[in-house]
Amino acid sequence: MEDDHRDIGAIARSCNMNKPNNVVASKLGLKASHVWNYFDRVLAPGMNSFNGSSESVSLDFPIARQERSYDQVSNQQFYLHSIQPVQFFQQIVVPQSRTTVACVPPTTTQLEWIDLQQQLDIGAKIHPNFASSMKSPLTQSTTRKNQSIRLTYELSQDELTNDKWAWHKYGQKYIKGSPFPRNYYKCSTSKQCEAKKQIEKSSKDENIFLVSCSGEHNHDPPMSRRYLASFKNNFKFKLPKSINIFPKESIFNASSSSSKRIKHSTDVASSIIGTKPPLEIGSKNKMLFSVVQNKGDGKVKVHMNEDIFMGIEELQIGTTST
DNA sequence: GGCCTTTGACCTACG
DNA sequence: ACGTAGGTCAAAGGC
């Protein structure tokens, strides 16, 4: 792979020029448009190339201190937005102080990446749990003290069904502010495995599922019945039937019996879920970026993987201002 | 019969 | 200390 001089510096330049369609990785057809519409800072004026070696390149830029609480910073978040081939975006909270953006070599292996995360004191090795997918998180958060880092993804129904891990549901809860229940799952392959995930429908877009992953699988993905069935049954691969996506009010109107309510809701859930084949491992719909942030000093690391770039036609980098 | 889901109760963090 | 909300447990039932 001829990746010795991938022009990652263009990312920094694109964030300065306020001009769309700057080529970020021309060899891979990657373009970036500048939406740096809140903080418009010089990222790395002197950075012209990225040598693809094992050493990270840091881009330092100052960011105004945020005095607001976690819940209130949503209008100022660093994000990367892939426009094609799949629609999703990822956000993390803007660091509270001087920030380092490290562009990791596209050839970085997963082990190297884990090591780099640890160097930044991320404190947890969170891996995407989706077979196709190594998708990037929408948010990275912890909801409670001493709780492991949780990565939240926006997934379509197709992407949700393409989970290579086996899960069992252990709870369901209606969350304040959302009409849809949150479903709680643990890895069912091993009792020692601490991997968990939460699935709920997005209140903004009913076709989108918010999937939060925490913990880490300490074993290989199982060749589960469900997984095997995906081949055996010609890709009749569906969401776990237990994913209740029925809105609160609808359920309350559906029946006075709680058991019937759930039965109804799951049937509906299954019926509206398509039976398209799962995405193949190695397809273009892999994770596009990894973005992690050091809690301590606010360092942000952007991981760009070689496979990730394939098939991407546009990319936006910047901070939101909503 | 075993695995999985359901769901009320319970636990815990947080304000 | 208390109320609230998110997260988890576990018995019961379904498949």
Side-chain angles (χ1 to χ4, degrees):
Chain A
M1 180 86 196
E2 45 182 72
D3 52 4
D4 281 352
H5 297 286
R6 212 178 296 282
D7 192 10
I8 300 298
I11 293 177
R13 291 196 299 274
S14 72
C15 293
N16 266 339
M17 294 169 69
N18 208 8
K19 187 174 76 176
N21 299 324
N22 296 300
V23 174
V24 173
S26 57
K27 292 175 184 174
L28 295 167
L30 178 66
K31 297 176 181 179
S33 57
H34 177 216
V35 288
W36 206 240
N37 53 7
Y38 191 88
F39 297 112
D40 196 5
R41 300 288 189 235
V42 175
L43 291 184
M47 180 177 164
N48 296 315
S49 65
F50 187 63
N51 64 15
S53 70
S54 60
E55 143 188 356
S56 298
V57 178
S58 293
L59 312 173
D60 293 330
F61 59 98
I63 285 192
R65 174 170 290 277
Q66 306 297 305
E67 296 293 349
R68 292 167 296 178
S69 69
Y70 176 83
D71 291 338
Q72 296 173 310
V73 299
S74 58
N75 66 333
Q76 292 182 359
Q77 293 178 318
F78 181 91
Y79 75 101
L80 301 170
H81 185 185
S82 76
I83 298 174
Q84 292 180 354
V86 286
Q87 292 262 354
F88 66 88
F89 60 92
Q90 55 194 23
Q91 296 179 311
I92 58 174
V93 175
V94 157
Q96 293 188 342
S97 59
R98 186 173 180 81
T99 300
T100 296
V101 175
C103 298
V104 181
T107 52
T108 303
T109 65
Q110 188 174 43
L111 286 177
E112 288 170 340
W113 173 238
I114 291 170
D115 183 58
L116 287 167
Q117 287 186 346
Q118 289 174 335
Q119 287 177 30
L120 282 180
D121 290 327
I122 295 304
K125 295 179 291 181
I126 307 284
H127 307 302
N129 291 322
F130 313 105
S132 68
S133 92
M134 305 271 303
K135 205 162 184 176
S136 296
L138 170 67
T139 60
Q140 174 182 310
S141 64
T142 57
T143 55
R144 287 191 175 190
K145 196 178 178 183
N146 298 326
Q147 196 172 49
S148 61
I149 294 175
R150 173 173 297 156
L151 301 179
T152 301
Y153 301 79
E154 280 189 336
L155 299 179
S156 66
Q157 291 170 1
D158 284 345
E159 291 164 330
L160 189 59
T161 59
N162 192 35
D163 191 337
K164 62 183 176 179
W165 301 99
W167 304 93
H168 75 269
K169 185 177 179 179
Y170 66 92
Q172 175 178 306
K173 197 92 174 179
Y174 281 97
I175 303 302
K176 189 180 180 183
S178 174
F180 302 106
R182 178 175 294 167
N183 297 266
Y184 298 89
Y185 293 85
K186 284 180 180 175
C187 178
S188 62
T189 303
S190 167
K191 287 185 177 178
Q192 283 73 44
C193 182
E194 296 182 352
K196 295 177 185 175
K197 72 174 181 181
Q198 302 173 357
I199 302 177
E200 63 182 293
K201 284 195 89 173
S202 169
S203 56
K204 296 176 183 174
D205 184 347
E206 295 190 7
N207 295 315
I208 295 295
F209 291 86
L210 300 177
V211 182
S212 299
C213 302
S214 63
E216 183 187 10
H217 292 282
N218 55 11
H219 53 86
D220 293 330
M223 287 298 286
S224 66
R225 287 179 299 173
R226 179 176 293 158
Y227 188 78
L228 290 171
S230 71
F231 298 98
K232 198 174 183 178
N233 298 330
N234 195 24
F235 299 124
K236 288 183 178 178
F237 208 37
K238 295 183 178 181
L239 283 175
K241 66 176 182 180
S242 57
I243 296 178
N244 181 4
I245 58 173
F246 226 53
K248 223 175 193 172
E249 294 140 16
S250 302
I251 288 175
F252 290 155
N253 291 334
S255 167
S256 58
S257 161
S258 60
S259 59
K260 278 188 177 179
R261 284 201 302 267
I262 296 303
K263 182 67 168 64
H264 180 201
S265 68
T266 53
D267 286 349
V268 170
S270 296
S271 68
I272 66 172
I273 294 161
T275 55
K276 293 178 183 176
L279 300 171
E280 297 175 6
I281 296 173
S283 74
K284 293 178 179 178
N285 292 306
K286 282 191 170 184
M287 177 175 68
L288 303 181
F289 279 84
S290 284
V291 182
V292 292
Q293 179 191 10
N294 184 351
K295 280 182 177 175
D297 60 8
K299 285 184 178 177
V300 177
K301 176 157 285 194
V302 182
H303 176 223
M304 304 176 187
N305 180 288
E306 175 184 334
D307 292 333
I308 287 166
F309 282 85
M310 297 177 68
I312 303 171
E313 295 180 5
E314 285 187 286
L315 179 74
Q316 295 179 331
I317 301 174
T319 56
T320 59
S321 170
T322 57

